[in-house]
Amino acid sequence: MDKKKNPERKKSEMDKRGILMVSFGTSHLDTMAKTIEVLEKEVAEQYPENPVYRAFTSQMVLTKLKEQGLEFDNMEQALLRMKEDGIRELVVQPTHIIAGIEYEKMLEQLKMYRLEFSEIRVGRPLMDQAGDYKEAVEAVLAEERDTIGSKDTALLLMGHGTSHRATAVYPTLEYTFHLMGYSNVYVGTVEGYPELEDLEKRIREKPYKKVCLRPFLLVAGDHAKNDMAGEKESWKNYFEEKGYEVETKIRGLGECEGIRRMFYQHLKEATELE
């Protein structure tokens, strides 16, 4: 769903355009400030004439935020708010990493509002086309070149994972690292394939002494702090028990300038559709 028009309404030069940034969300305010808020702020700076709105799609996250006294819009609330504000041209940029279950849910919700706006345009998620893989590799390299350059060190990127077919993104990303000459980079997931055990089997075949763990997630929330870097039942704990020196860095992809540029480019593509 890249572009939807209401056939019953002619486009007007006076149509007001608004940008909706759609994220799964996080209840961790520290990482939200460094990732989602930075993305939204920089989008607003790039499109000063277009108001920027936010929607979180996770009800669990929204509930946790409400318990902290914070109110954020879900998709329906954000779309209604934009309609009430007179937005007629809607540009939606998801901050999803893959075109998986959450991305498809977002598209289904947008279909319900296709007659409420004169036009709806949707930007691509981070990893969607062939060229995205190389760009993502280069963005990671810019942050981790010293780590990747050490022959006795393996760099492990932890993605979320999914039962959706889009889980193929993760092994494809790893393959791209290897094609580009970085065979000590591995990509696994918390809730999909490849799993942690799959990574460990391949890593033990090499003479690595150290394992560096990084989240391949927009925000560094529960999965990064607990599943990856926690002291119990975490990736960190798992590799320490295997005898590796383990180093972790709690940093979401939204903190990486190269990754943010990819999202901005996808948004630009959506705004320039003819």
Side-chain angles (χ1 to χ4, degrees), residues 102-242:
E102 292 296 322
Y103 181 77
E104 290 184 350
K105 285 181 179 178
M106 178 196 74
L107 295 182
E108 288 301 313
Q109 287 179 295
L110 288 173
K111 286 180 181 179
M112 297 172 61
Y113 286 83
R114 64 186 182 277
L115 299 181
E116 303 296 332
F117 298 92
S118 63
E119 189 172 55
I120 299 178
R121 303 180 180 203
V122 182
R124 299 186 291 112
L126 184 71
M127 308 297 293
D128 183 57
Q129 296 181 359
D132 296 334
Y133 293 94
K134 184 177 180 180
E135 287 190 53
V137 167
E138 291 173 344
V140 172
L141 288 177
E143 305 286 335
E144 301 289 346
R145 195 169 296 279
D146 291 340
T147 302
I148 296 174
S150 178
K151 294 181 180 180
D152 67 350
T153 300
L155 174 64
L156 273 62
L157 304 179
M158 186 191 75
H160 187 279
T162 176
S163 58
H164 191 277
R165 62 185 179 278
T167 196
V169 162
Y170 300 108
T172 304
L173 177 62
E174 179 183 302
Y175 183 63
T176 305
F177 271 104
H178 294 183
L179 282 178
M180 294 176 66
Y182 302 97
S183 59
N184 60 332
V185 182
Y186 301 83
V187 182
T189 67
V190 184
E191 300 180 9
Y193 176 82
E195 297 178 343
L196 176 58
E197 291 76 10
D198 299 315
L199 297 183
E200 195 273 330
K201 288 178 183 177
R202 288 183 292 124
I203 287 172
R204 78 167 76 134
E205 296 173 353
K206 303 290 181 69
Y208 298 127
K209 298 177 181 179
K210 182 177 180 179
V211 170
C212 294
L213 303 175
R214 305 287 187 264
F216 197 76
L217 304 158
L218 180 74
V219 301
D222 279 330
H223 287 309
K225 295 175 181 178
N226 299 316
D227 295 314
M228 188 191 80
E231 293 302 323
K232 294 183 179 180
E233 298 183 355
S234 66
W235 286 28
K236 175 178 180 290
N237 178 251
Y238 180 86
F239 281 104
E240 285 178 338
E241 290 182 349
K242 298 291 182 180

